[in-house]
Amino acid sequence: MSGTSTAGTGRAAHVPGQRDSPPPAAGSPNRWTVLVVLCTSLLLVALDATVLHVAVPAVSAHLRPGPNQLLWIVDSYPLVCASFLILFGTLGDRVGRRRVLLYGYALFAAASALAAYAHTPELLIAARALLGIGGAMIMPATLSILRQVFPDRRERALAVGIWSSVAAVGAAVGPLFGGLLLEHFWWGSVFLINIPLMAASLLAGRLLLPESTGGAKGPWDVLGATLAAAGLFGLILGVKHAGTGSPLAPEALLPLAAGAALLILFVRRQRQREYPLVDLSEIARPAFGTAVGCIVLTVLALVGLALIAAQYLQLVLGLSPLETGLRLLPLSVAAVAAGLVGSRLLQRLGPRLMVALGFLLTALAVLFLTTLGLEDRPAVLAGGFVLLGFGLETTLFGCYESMLSESSADRAGGAAAVGETAYQLGAGLGIAVLGTIMNAAYAPGVRNAPGVPGEARGAASHSLGEAYGVAARLGDPAGGTLLRAAREAFVHGLHVTLTVSGVLLLLGALAALRLPRSMGCTDRDAPARSGDRSPRAAGDGTLLSTGITRP
């Protein structure tokens, strides 16, 4: 994977406008500078996935989106990002990962400006989708460059720990960062701040990051990448509509059927091609497939619960956006601690025990948080978030390390691409699945509120934010009755959602038993033998060969 080569020839290739600098040597301190640049990119992309959570009430008040529009405002970013990872990952493998990365920075900045000044829900959804495309351009290049500049496995394990800590910090600090901005500025400021930071990343990336390609052979399968993107998008769209309470409605069944059909076509196409985008035999291995599935479950819990928790803190407890962010801070601190000690824990416990214990700790935290109610209990919140942050980050670290170890150095890019897709898919599913469970549990309690007009109950049953608006228009006593019923219904929905999350996390702990017992070195850690010219042995395009992701 080192150096730059022309796809299909192996000769050095010059990418116009780019300097094909060699990767920093193992003993060169410059590799740590590269790590800083890559982690900065990751921080911004991860932060943008959750920074909007505390701004949801403000967005609802100013743009007045419907319930489905509000869900799309929040989750269009991770869903679009997940859909386009394969496409941009393989493109970067052909034309240069740094080149795609720099274009991603530029698009991310432009989409942030559009989102900041969006004046309709539709425009904000479109801007968030463009942010997802920019994120998909940024993510696939980052871990492959990290893999390139850290050839030593021990140093790479430390880099992965720092990397995964940054990912968790970005997702967890997003609400705090958004809260700080909302204390002084309008809701669009949570996007506007991306512009100078992305401009700085663009300059630093241009000067410091090495260029590389994956040396993949065969033509770039554009049709395959398009099938994968459309299939994932249709599948998740169907899940979203099914979660609204009408699983048999055409709005749910048609996208589900279309998405599943496109993904089946994608799988068949990959099996028939000499140089597929994704090596399906790689994913089929128990350890690799289990690690990917565990990533989806972990991120599903993290992102979905973060959104619900932010609404609980603001709309039920009445905290300001800044106070909400501060209450979520223990989760971030615990995640950082878990990332920094992750390498040592993995060596002592092994992947199987580490991931299983991480899931159990997270499930314990989730069930502990079911004791929350209408009253503010800061100690319970802080304790639950500490357990949640440490457990989630422990699980993610073990999963990513296991997944990368299951691939040779030549295949690390493809393995990382699958992992990043799993991460983004989990983020989208977390908001869609847990959000719809929350809405399904919340609505009946509001619809049955006594002494409130039927039309008002129907409008308030869409979300707690809308219930506040309806109650204000009604006035007392009907408005007060409606608001009490809505807050109680939200807490009930929170308990149901936490319980479902706990069950999913316990299933993840059982699935983790399929991971390797120890992190012993295998032949996959060594480069492909020079005499082995098999495409699947050499990793020359069989996998996604994108180079990528967030551990």
Side-chain angles (χ1 to χ4, degrees), residues 499-519:
T499 302
V500 172
S501 299
V503 172
L504 292 175
L505 291 166
L506 291 176
L507 293 176
L510 292 176
L513 299 179
R514 302 184 68 196
L515 292 172
R517 188 182 300 274
S518 64
M519 56 177 298

Side-chain angles (χ1 to χ4, degrees), residues 324-409:
T324 297
L326 290 173
R327 291 293 185 91
L328 293 170
L329 191 58
L331 190 153
S332 176
V333 174
V336 172
L340 294 178
V341 303
S343 179
R344 293 183 180 180
L345 284 177
L346 191 62
Q347 292 179 23
R348 293 190 177 187
L349 300 178
R352 179 187 301 176
L353 185 57
M354 181 176 181
V355 174
L357 287 178
F359 269 122
L360 290 175
L361 188 61
T362 307
L364 176 64
V366 166
L367 296 177
F368 180 66
L369 290 173
T370 58
T371 60
L372 295 173
L374 295 173
E375 301 80 19
D376 188 5
R377 303 178 65 184
V380 173
L381 279 168
F385 286 156
V386 167
L387 291 175
L388 192 65
F390 197 91
L392 287 169
E393 180 56 25
T394 298
T395 305
L396 277 178
F397 183 95
C399 289
Y400 271 104
E401 205 284 336
S402 298
M403 186 183 64
L404 292 176
S405 296
E406 280 296 303
S407 298
S408 67

Side-chain angles (χ1 to χ4, degrees), residues 443-503:
V446 180
R447 294 195 187 106
N448 296 327
V452 180
E455 184 178 349
R457 283 180 289 165
S461 67
H462 296 151
S463 69
L464 183 55
E466 290 194 43
Y468 271 88
V470 173
R473 292 193 297 270
L474 284 177
D476 287 330
T481 301
L482 176 63
L483 200 54
R484 283 192 298 272
R487 292 173 71 242
E488 291 173 356
F490 189 94
V491 171
H492 169 69
L494 175 65
H495 292 166
V496 172
T497 305
L498 289 171
T499 302
V500 172
S501 299
V503 172

Side-chain angles (χ1 to χ4, degrees), residues 400-448:
Y400 271 104
E401 205 284 336
S402 298
M403 186 183 64
L404 292 176
S405 296
E406 280 296 303
S407 298
S408 67
D410 290 328
R411 296 183 178 184
V418 174
E420 186 61 31
T421 302
Y423 191 103
Q424 293 300 321
L425 183 61
L429 287 174
I431 296 169
V433 174
L434 295 186
T436 50
I437 290 174
M438 176 72 195
N439 290 339
Y442 162 81
V446 180
R447 294 195 187 106
N448 296 327

